[in-house]
Amino acid sequence: LSLHDALPIYGTAMTINEDPHMETEAGMCASHRRVACTIATSSHLGLAHCLADSFLQHHPNAVVFVLLVDSDRLPEGLDPRIIGLPITDLRVDALAAMRNRYSVFELCNALKPSLLLHLLGIIDEDRILYLDSDLFIVDSLEDVAYDVLDEVAVLLTPHLRSVPPTDEGFIERDLAILRGGALNGGFVGVRRCAETDAILRWWASRLESAGYHLPERGMNCDQRWLDLMPGFGAAVRVAHHPGLNVAFW
């Protein structure tokens, strides 16, 4: 599916080049378009809307896909560059079992690699960012994310980007990060290539049955699995830009 073609939005269609927000300059190719995605339940659609709006403010020539975990459609009147995907579109063979097995929170996290695989299979843009629905974008991600994905297959962000203080009071904070995962699952960038496909399929396979929030058993939904990825080789990079995935820790 080309981003120049019509994208279905529940009975209507959006042609990217006809949208007034999009660039229609002759020669613009799909590889210059930006794609981001997120996952949301009905209770978090407001957060997902804020994320998408903030992303589109800094990437006007873009689309944001929202995987809808417990509903079939987005609310009316949203920016047409925000596209809803029903969970059944993913065609995950183990979806019924995962729904029975996991809490809604665990299920949302477990579907991240399946969503990225699905989008890489239906659009022609080679680089996609997954962003948690509670993020807010305050600047362009061109240089720090999309351009970096020209060089690597998977881009991740750490919970800590510098050596912590040696004070004893920080030990518990550091142990909490170790239990939760050294890398943060709220931001994952991928580029279409064989390495990405292999990594996402491995990640999805682990999350079919081992995506619980059980830190005492070494599981923190999708996140602890990320810690293994840098060991897979140079195709995976951990970003250290101070503006990526900023949070209280």
Side-chain angles (χ1 to χ4, degrees):
L1 176 65
S2 169
L3 289 184
H4 289 282
D5 298 331
L7 291 172
I9 313 181
Y10 310 110
T12 64
M14 177 183 71
T15 302
I16 297 294
N17 281 342
E18 292 177 355
D19 188 275
H21 298 284
M22 294 294 182
E23 297 180 30
T24 56
E25 185 175 322
M28 173 64 71
C29 65
S31 63
H32 290 143
R33 305 207 183 282
R34 297 301 174 229
V35 177
C37 63
T38 193
I39 300 174
T41 59
S42 298
S43 63
H44 282 64
L45 281 180
L47 288 174
H49 187 194
C50 287
L51 163 68
D53 277 353
S54 67
F55 178 84
L56 292 169
Q57 179 180 350
H58 299 287
H59 309 84
N61 191 45
V63 291
V64 179
F65 290 90
V66 180
L67 181 66
L68 306 166
V69 173
D70 58 356
S71 60
D72 293 329
R73 64 181 64 241
L74 289 170
E76 299 292 334
L78 295 186
D79 190 309
R81 295 169 293 173
I82 305 173
I83 302 169
L85 290 173
I87 193 172
T88 51
D89 280 9
L90 297 189
R91 297 175 183 161
V92 176
D93 292 339
L95 181 58
M98 293 169 71
R99 276 177 152 162
N100 290 329
R101 177 179 296 126
Y102 293 141
S103 68
V104 173
F105 174 71
E106 291 167 337
L107 180 63
C108 288
N109 287 297
L111 292 173
K112 292 178 187 179
S114 297
L115 172 59
L116 289 167
L117 283 166
H118 174 71
L119 291 177
L120 287 171
I122 67 168
I123 65 175
D124 57 2
E125 169 57 44
D126 287 337
R127 292 162 292 176
I128 302 175
L129 298 182
Y130 169 82
L131 305 168
D132 266 355
S133 62
D134 58 357
L135 295 183
F136 192 84
I137 310 303
V138 298
D139 204 347
S140 171
L141 298 172
E142 285 293 324
D143 295 343
V144 298
Y146 287 107
D147 287 353
V148 176
L149 285 168
D150 285 336
E151 305 169 3
V152 299
V154 177
L155 183 65
L156 304 171
T157 56
H159 282 112
L160 299 176
R161 53 174 295 273
S162 60
V163 179
T166 58
D167 303 20
E168 186 175 347
F170 282 89
I171 292 177
E172 284 303 317
R173 192 281 308 269
D174 292 352
L175 287 172
I177 288 175
L178 286 173
R179 288 190 293 270
L183 302 172
N184 186 278
F187 175 102
V188 179
V190 298
R191 174 174 57 85
R192 188 196 318 277
C193 62
E195 292 93 340
T196 294
D197 186 72
I199 290 170
L200 290 178
R201 292 186 185 280
W202 166 82
W203 192 22
S205 72
R206 296 301 182 261
L207 294 179
E208 284 187 7
S209 60
Y212 294 100
H213 181 238
L214 292 173
E216 67 276 12
R217 292 184 54 193
M219 287 182 280
N220 185 23
C221 302
D222 63 302
Q223 197 162 261
R224 284 298 305 275
W225 296 107
L226 298 179
D227 288 356
L228 298 178
M229 290 186 186
F232 295 164
V236 178
R237 179 177 297 179
V238 178
H240 288 86
H241 190 281
L244 279 180
N245 221 351
V246 175
F248 67 90
W249 51 80

